[in-house]
Amino acid sequence: MLIKITAHANNKKDFVETDMFGQTHVYTKARPQEGEANKAIVEILAKHFDVSKSCVILVRGGTGKIKTFEIR
């Protein structure tokens, strides 16, 4: 399954939220430097979808705010 998310780094807590348009937003406490936020988002999505971290793969948007992940 492919999921498109909007990443929000430097937040007060980690959570996943879906807005009224169906867009998924992932908030993380991690900083967006040296891939810290991407690693944290992988962990957050794995916990949210109840899969292992190895099942969550960043497909597109490694340096952008809009990212696409594959959930296996």
Side-chain angles (χ1 to χ4, degrees):
M1 161 174 82
L2 287 176
I3 182 169
K4 192 173 187 180
I5 64 120
T6 302
H8 301 276
N10 285 332
N11 200 41
K12 291 185 179 181
K13 57 184 182 174
D14 297 332
F15 64 98
V16 178
E17 176 181 76
T18 303
D19 64 14
M20 65 183 188
F21 301 109
Q23 177 66 36
T24 304
H25 297 263
V26 179
Y27 297 85
T28 180
K29 294 184 276 188
R31 298 171 43 196
Q33 295 174 350
E34 300 175 6
E36 290 179 29
N38 288 338
K39 291 176 188 173
I41 290 170
V42 166
E43 292 178 11
I44 294 165
L45 288 174
K47 185 175 179 182
H48 180 74
F49 288 106
D50 196 30
V51 296
S52 68
K53 291 186 287 186
S54 63
C55 293
V56 181
I57 300 166
L58 178 62
V59 176
R60 224 173 288 139
T63 59
K65 192 171 181 108
I66 307 291
K67 301 177 185 295
T68 303
F69 285 90
E70 179 182 358
I71 313 292
R72 292 186 183 173

